[in-house]
Amino acid sequence: MRKNFSGQARASSVATACGGSNVVGYALDGPQGRGYTLKMLEPLPDEYFMREALRQAQKAYAADEVPVGAVVVREDKIIGRAHNQVELLKDATAHAEMVALTQAEAAVGDWRLTDCGLYVTKEPCAMCAGAVVHTRIRRVIFGCADPSAGAAGSMMNLLQMPTFNHRCEITSGVLQKECAAILQDFFRKRREGRDSTTC
């Protein structure tokens, strides 16, 4: 869609159209004082937000927490970001997803997050998947699978249970190698530390 703007119309010529979490922005191009063309800006890709989740995972790694990070996105804006804080808070429920969801609820002013997406570096566990269903998250995007405890398709799929009153879209494998690598490195170093103390 193209439309020319000039003169006084220039000042009020930016519009935004929202469709779920796929926000389409519009910006103007053209030299000052000339005709302007309205051009559509594409929504940010999944990789962009997964990299933000990976930054959170790196914070967890630095704090000697299991390196999982999560961000909640609404209309292409991050409204919640967190990493695992189980050891810091001495709280088994302080997974990255749980903390990020709580932040997002506070930002929205509601427990319903129906127009939001959750990006998380590792497939959610049963606890986090249950919280996702309860908060009505529209879409879950995760990096690497968790074959032993993943509840978004690996061991079970709580996010798309036909008997539940809410089901989420799932996208898996976004930056899978990077998300898996930080976990593998963390647990490798932990094993090496244990082995060195038993010698």
Side-chain angles (χ1 to χ4, degrees):
M1 170 183 165
R2 295 172 69 88
K3 190 169 182 180
N4 290 323
F5 289 84
S6 61
Q8 294 177 343
R10 201 167 57 226
S12 59
S13 55
V14 177
T16 304
C18 301
S21 66
N22 293 326
V23 174
V24 180
Y26 294 90
L28 299 173
D29 61 3
Q32 183 138 6
R34 301 286 182 89
Y36 279 74
T37 304
L38 198 61
K39 58 182 186 177
M40 191 167 70
L41 303 176
E42 291 298 320
L44 291 167
D46 286 340
E47 289 78 8
Y48 173 85
F49 293 112
M50 190 60 74
R51 290 197 190 285
E52 292 297 316
L54 269 167
R55 285 190 183 93
Q56 291 297 312
Q58 288 159 359
K59 289 182 180 181
Y61 186 104
D64 204 30
E65 298 271 4
V66 174
V68 176
V71 297
V72 179
V73 176
R74 185 188 195 202
E75 298 179 354
D76 266 359
K77 292 187 178 77
I78 295 175
I79 60 170
R81 67 179 82 216
H83 54 80
N84 272 2
Q85 298 175 49
V86 171
E87 301 300 334
L88 173 69
L89 301 177
K90 306 301 180 200
D91 179 0
T93 69
H95 287 194
E97 301 96 309
M98 302 293 282
V99 180
L101 289 171
T102 300
Q103 288 180 6
E105 289 168 332
V108 171
D110 193 354
W111 59 266
R112 297 173 187 85
L113 300 174
T114 52
D115 56 351
C116 298
L118 171 69
Y119 291 78
V120 59
T121 55
K122 182 178 71 68
E123 181 180 1
C125 68
M127 173 184 69
C128 295
V132 165
V133 171
H134 282 298
T135 55
R136 312 292 196 263
I137 287 278
R138 186 181 69 83
R139 183 171 173 243
V140 172
I141 306 93
F142 66 86
C144 62
D146 182 354
S148 61
S154 289
M155 190 185 73
M156 66 181 84
N157 189 354
L158 293 179
L159 299 182
Q160 296 178 334
M161 290 285 285
T163 54
F164 286 176
N165 63 356
H166 178 75
R167 285 169 290 284
C168 309
E169 295 176 33
I170 301 172
T171 301
S172 61
V174 178
L175 300 183
Q176 186 270 334
K177 289 182 180 177
E178 294 94 326
C179 293
I182 192 171
L183 283 162
Q184 289 164 352
D185 187 62
F186 176 83
F187 286 112
R188 178 180 56 79
K189 287 185 175 176
R190 180 174 279 187
R191 285 192 300 272
E192 289 172 356
R194 278 202 302 262
D195 292 344
S196 66
T197 58
T198 56
C199 292

